Amino acid sequence: MDTQPKGRVVLVTGASQGIGRAIALRLARDGAKVGLVDLKEEKLAEVKKEVEALGASATSFVADVSKRDEVFAAVHQVERELGGFHAIVNNAGVAQVKPLADVLPEDMDRIFRVNADSVVWAFKPLRPSSRLGASKVRSSTHPPPLATKACQYASAGITVNAYCPGIVGTDMWVEIDERFSQLTGAPKGETYRKYVGV
């Protein structure tokens, strides 16, 4: 199967900045049509212009990826406006810097809704009759425990891959640095420089 992005339609979540923006621009340079999804409308519009300036077709959709119906609407818009659908980059995510003793149920709920639930919602509109499996335990019949892995689509030629970029100097790490400064008294910028290496 041809895995080159040229001519393919790819949706990128968390596309308005950081890693998501970089992925969207790289896809555009490689000839893909790019769907952009994020909560930050103004930044999203800027990235759309950048993608189009590279000669690529693009559409953008403001959505909260933790909300199923908003993700469904984004997927359908990308498919409709860009003439198909080939791949999703589930990049959107949140981080939290807080002592373990201070973590609240709502903190955990938000992290899982954005970082895990959104992955499931992005897959479901592609094949509404299917359910996601858990490839980590080599099972296609028990979706809840490890729903961020999908092996059930393998028979249809759909692959699920993970990318692990490590620590990257993005706006998220600026926020993390500020929070570390508040918690530990470290000078602002020190944590960023230590882990990002800039």
Side-chain angles (χ1 to χ4, degrees):
M1 182 178 71
D2 180 16
T3 58
Q4 296 303 310
K6 186 173 183 180
R8 302 235 170 181
V9 179
V10 184
L11 180 152
V12 181
T13 68
S16 73
Q17 62 188 32
I19 295 172
R21 173 180 171 271
I23 290 171
L25 295 178
R26 175 57 188 263
L27 286 166
R29 288 188 193 97
D30 288 346
K33 299 175 183 179
V34 188
L36 308 162
V37 177
D38 206 299
L39 277 173
K40 300 176 179 178
E41 187 171 6
E42 289 185 11
K43 287 188 173 183
L44 199 60
E46 292 172 7
V47 175
K48 183 174 183 284
K49 288 179 182 177
E50 290 182 284
V51 167
E52 291 172 337
L54 293 169
S57 298
T59 185
S60 61
F61 194 92
V62 177
D64 179 344
V65 297
S66 73
K67 297 180 179 177
R68 188 188 73 159
D69 291 347
E70 293 186 25
V71 176
F72 281 18
V75 170
H76 292 316
Q77 175 175 305
V78 169
E79 186 172 26
R80 183 176 64 252
E81 293 195 7
L82 298 181
F85 205 98
H86 298 100
I88 301 170
V89 180
N90 287 294
N91 167 76
V94 293
Q96 184 181 76
V97 179
K98 180 182 281 193
L100 186 60
D102 296 339
V103 173
L104 300 172
E106 50 265 37
D107 297 326
M108 295 299 296
D109 181 59
R110 177 173 179 261
I111 289 169
F112 275 92
R113 282 189 297 108
V114 175
N115 294 358
D117 294 0
S118 63
V119 177
V120 176
W121 305 148
F123 274 99
K124 283 179 68 67
L126 303 182
R127 291 182 60 184
S129 63
S130 298
R131 294 293 181 269
L132 295 184
S135 61
K136 190 171 182 179
V137 293
R138 300 180 182 275
S139 168
S140 61
T141 58
H142 303 288
L146 295 166
T148 57
K149 305 293 182 184
C151 66
Q152 197 169 49
Y153 289 172
S155 62
I158 298 172
T159 60
V160 178
N161 304 287
Y163 64 98
C164 305
I167 295 172
V168 179
T170 64
D171 289 349
M172 180 183 287
W173 262 90
V174 172
E175 294 174 15
I176 291 171
D177 174 80
E178 290 178 358
R179 186 64 179 137
F180 263 102
S181 180
Q182 295 167 2
L183 289 172
T184 68
K188 190 174 179 179
E190 181 178 289
T191 303
Y192 186 94
R193 287 189 295 272
K194 178 179 178 181
Y195 290 99
V196 176
V198 177

